[in-house]
Amino acid sequence: MSSIDVPLRNGGFGTTQRKDNWWVEPLLVFLGFSAFIVYSTWAAMQNAHYTFGPYLSPFYSPLLMTEKPGWWPAFMPFSAAMLILWAPGGFRFTCYYYRGAYYKAFWADPPSCTVGEPRKSYWGERSFPLIMQNIHRYFLYLALVFILVLTYDAFKAMWFDGHFGIGVGTLVLIVNPVLLGCYTLGCHSLRHLVGGRADEMSKSPVRKQTYDCVSCLNRRHMMWAWFSLFWVGFTDVYVRLCSMGLITDWRIF
Amino acid sequence: MAIATFKIWRGNASGGKFVDYTTEVEAGMVVLDAVHRIQASQANDMAVRWNCKAGKCGSCSAEINGRPRLMCMTRLSEIPLDQPITVEPMHTFPKIKDLVTDVSWNYRVKERIKKFAPKPALADGTWRMQQADIDRVQEFRKCIECFLCQDVCHVLRDHDLHDEFIGPRFLLYNAALEMNPMDTENRLGDLKDSGGIGYCNITKCCTKVCPEEIKITDNAIIPLKERVVDEFYDPLRRLFRVFS
């Protein structure tokens, strides 16, 4: 029997008795989000190569205007993506899953469960600026509209010069709203709004059924969040590479 | 039969230290078994709280290799035995002795929560509710009050905001009351203010450590946050209430 003096208190940043690789998950989240943010910002600033035939990149959809409007500040470079990306971006930024993930990965608050934090002060989501996370449901309303728009884009991607056809890009654009739909329709705010706010859901079978459906998707919310994030980026990459002539869009029929 | 080393925290409110104990372990043992063996053979004065040894009383909460867990539900076969296994009391609560902590703060918090206020009885003098309406609440009623969720919550553990935040256990308790179809009380103001629900930043650590596998964050805390948004932060709802 031997002993070492170790006071039992929570130590500084990164201190823990955990023996597993606790840092792997926040690191992967950090790298994943960072890669997406860097790429999407770059792609949004290009204002080029966002269409190819009937395909439209989701970063630029809906395409509200292609030319710089008169009211646009002169010092700011114009891109059609900048007119719309704030909405899906805001939806993800205020998403309950993403919040928990980026508070850990980017702010180390905490870095992982039972791992010491870098700072003692903590405000949580009680005061400005994080109290603004409570507007998540408004971004949800916008995100629901975006799913309809992207579904229409997928439909348009089936028509090549007025003729029905399916290309690899068509499939890419079809998968995009499906994954986004699974993510958005599993949103915690939607789950609340469609039924969770009621204590007696059984009074409305439709409400109960809707709540159960949203709950079903909600159980895999993290998975849908990542799949849809990856795919929306991949869709832009695909359209961009086709537009730049770097890859060929194979027609299936 | 294998040999394992346990680094067990020994001390009290004024301080302590990790002490190494080496003991024989057998197939099927849990950490609590090993701690009892050490207590019986090497450290008769070691304090450890336990009761059912079946994961239902919530007494033997501790931190095993840095993870809040019930000692009676942590099999040694789940833990690498080639390196010392650390066993500590819960960090979030004041230490009494060795692995025993003072969790009475939780009972004081619970006393502050508005009690169940049932609707008037039906004409036949009874209360009836539908199973579909009570499913959510029944998940929350599985809680055994082991307080591992309170222990792991960084708001309490790292920031010591015990006076301003009631912690996941009592957000869950509030959810069980708020979502009860027979309840008439409104606790949303308390949740926002004295309950400090806004402190929760949804790290889901509480869900990860719950031995009853209650989805604390997704099914209790976030729905409560949404109800608080309904009541206090949704401008359209507030406007609607003004004109209705």
Side-chain angles (χ1 to χ4, degrees):
Chain A
M1 188 173 85
S2 64
S3 67
I4 6 163
D5 284 321
V6 179
L8 186 64
R9 59 181 168 76
N10 299 322
F13 180 41
T15 56
T16 182
Q17 292 290 341
R18 283 177 63 171
K19 293 179 166 55
D20 59 328
N21 295 323
W22 59 264
W23 47 270
V24 171
E25 187 182 332
L27 179 65
L28 290 176
V29 169
F30 179 83
L31 293 175
F33 287 172
S34 298
F36 183 82
I37 291 166
V38 168
Y39 174 75
S40 59
T41 306
W42 175 83
M45 298 299 287
Q46 297 308 299
N47 205 30
H49 298 299
Y50 53 81
T51 60
F52 179 73
Y55 307 151
L56 173 62
S57 162
F59 286 178
Y60 288 78
S61 180
L63 192 56
L64 298 178
M65 53 186 72
T66 54
E67 297 298 323
K68 186 175 179 176
W71 49 265
W72 192 262
F75 64 89
M76 267 178 72
F78 172 77
S79 166
M82 293 166 71
L83 296 171
I84 51 113
L85 272 189
W86 58 270
F91 179 59
R92 289 193 188 258
F93 186 80
T94 57
C95 162
Y96 283 102
Y97 162 67
Y98 281 116
R99 276 147 69 176
Y102 67 69
Y103 288 144
K104 284 198 251 189
F106 284 79
W107 200 242
D109 214 357
S112 190
C113 305
T114 72
V115 177
E117 299 185 17
R119 64 194 82 79
K120 281 307 286 181
S121 64
Y122 179 75
W123 302 334
E125 298 182 338
R126 275 196 114 189
S127 51
F128 189 81
L130 294 181
I131 199 168
M132 298 303 291
Q133 303 278 28
N134 289 315
I135 61 171
H136 181 53
R137 61 182 57 178
Y138 288 93
F139 282 114
L140 164 70
Y141 304 145
L142 293 170
L144 292 170
V145 175
F146 271 75
I147 292 177
L148 296 177
V149 170
L150 294 170
T151 303
Y152 180 62
D153 287 346
F155 174 75
K156 281 200 304 183
M158 298 173 190
W159 300 93
F160 296 80
D161 298 324
H163 300 286
F164 180 77
I166 299 284
V168 173
T170 311
L171 299 179
V172 171
L173 263 78
I174 289 172
V175 171
N176 188 44
V178 170
L179 292 177
L180 284 172
C182 289
Y183 167 59
T184 307
L185 298 177
C187 165
H188 290 88
S189 284
L190 185 64
R191 190 179 182 223
H192 169 77
L193 294 166
V194 299
R197 62 196 165 87
D199 293 336
E200 292 181 280
M201 275 186 276
S202 63
K203 285 185 172 172
S204 166
V206 174
R207 174 193 277 173
K208 178 72 171 68
Q209 191 67 39
T210 312
Y211 175 80
D212 288 344
C213 288
V214 174
S215 297
C216 183
L217 287 170
N218 181 264
R219 282 191 279 276
R220 296 277 180 275
H221 199 47
M222 180 183 82
M223 181 188 81
W224 296 122
W226 279 105
F227 282 4
S228 61
L229 187 77
F230 170 79
W231 201 265
V232 77
F234 174 72
T235 306
D236 180 83
V237 170
Y238 186 85
V239 173
R240 186 169 299 279
L241 294 181
C242 288
S243 170
M244 294 170 80
L246 296 175
I247 60 170
T248 303
D249 178 52
W250 297 100
R251 286 285 292 274
I252 297 167
F253 65 88
Chain B
M1 193 163 304
I3 301 290
T5 300
F6 290 81
K7 292 168 75 75
I8 301 179
W9 194 86
R10 303 294 310 273
N12 53 36
S14 52
K17 59 195 174 189
F18 279 110
V19 180
D20 286 0
Y21 298 97
T22 300
T23 187
E24 291 181 340
V25 294
E26 296 144 33
M29 279 178 74
V30 294
V31 169
L32 184 60
D33 294 327
V35 169
H36 278 161
R37 180 168 284 181
I38 290 164
Q39 187 188 45
S41 59
Q42 304 175 50
N44 298 153
D45 61 341
M46 185 163 66
V48 53
R49 186 184 280 139
W50 66 282
N51 190 8
C52 74
K53 292 184 83 174
K56 288 297 166 195
C57 73
S59 301
C60 63
S61 302
E63 299 193 9
I64 301 161
N65 280 348
R67 288 174 171 273
R69 304 187 70 165
L70 294 178
M71 287 190 280
C72 72
M73 298 302 286
T74 308
R75 289 184 170 276
L76 291 179
S77 56
E78 299 169 8
I79 303 172
L81 298 179
D82 56 346
Q83 47 189 318
I85 301 154
T86 60
V87 185
E88 304 164 81
M90 292 189 283
H91 284 216
T92 296
F93 305 112
K95 316 303 168 264
I96 295 177
K97 185 176 188 310
D98 304 332
L99 299 178
V100 177
T101 54
D102 175 6
V103 294
S104 60
W105 170 79
N106 293 286
Y107 307 128
R108 293 194 293 276
V109 170
K110 197 171 191 176
E111 281 173 358
R112 298 204 314 257
I113 296 168
K114 287 178 184 166
K115 302 292 178 282
F116 178 66
K119 290 175 180 174
L122 299 171
D124 60 2
T126 66
W127 289 264
R128 282 190 294 277
M129 61 180 103
Q130 301 299 310
Q131 181 62 44
D133 297 329
I134 207 73
D135 281 342
R136 286 188 296 184
V137 176
Q138 284 183 332
E139 183 195 8
F140 308 149
R141 293 292 293 264
K142 290 195 302 177
C143 176
I144 58 172
E145 294 205 322
C146 60
F147 303 125
L148 289 175
C149 57
Q150 305 286 71
D151 179 44
V152 80
C153 178
H154 75 121
V155 182
L156 301 171
R157 182 188 182 90
D158 292 298
H159 301 291
D160 298 320
L161 290 169
H162 294 70
D163 293 334
E164 298 169 58
F165 181 58
I166 58 177
R169 160 59 194 140
F170 296 108
L171 292 175
L172 184 87
Y173 182 66
N174 267 286
L177 293 167
E178 278 295 301
M179 295 179 191
N180 190 310
M182 291 293 115
D183 182 64
T184 57
E185 190 61 86
N186 184 336
R187 301 168 186 82
L188 298 177
D190 289 351
L191 279 166
K192 172 178 161 285
D193 298 324
S194 57
I197 193 169
Y199 278 119
C200 171
N201 68 342
I202 326 148
T203 58
K204 293 199 178 186
C205 293
C206 51
T207 302
K208 286 176 186 162
V209 302
C210 179
E212 286 291 323
E213 299 183 351
I214 302 169
K215 305 292 182 210
I216 302 172
T217 317
D218 288 316
N219 291 348
I221 299 179
I222 293 175
L224 282 183
K225 274 180 172 266
E226 284 294 314
R227 288 183 181 213
V228 169
V229 173
D230 278 350
E231 190 90 354
F232 299 102
Y233 298 118
D234 186 331
L236 287 183
R237 273 185 185 272
R238 295 193 79 162
L239 199 63
F240 180 75
R241 276 201 295 272
V242 168
F243 291 106
S244 63

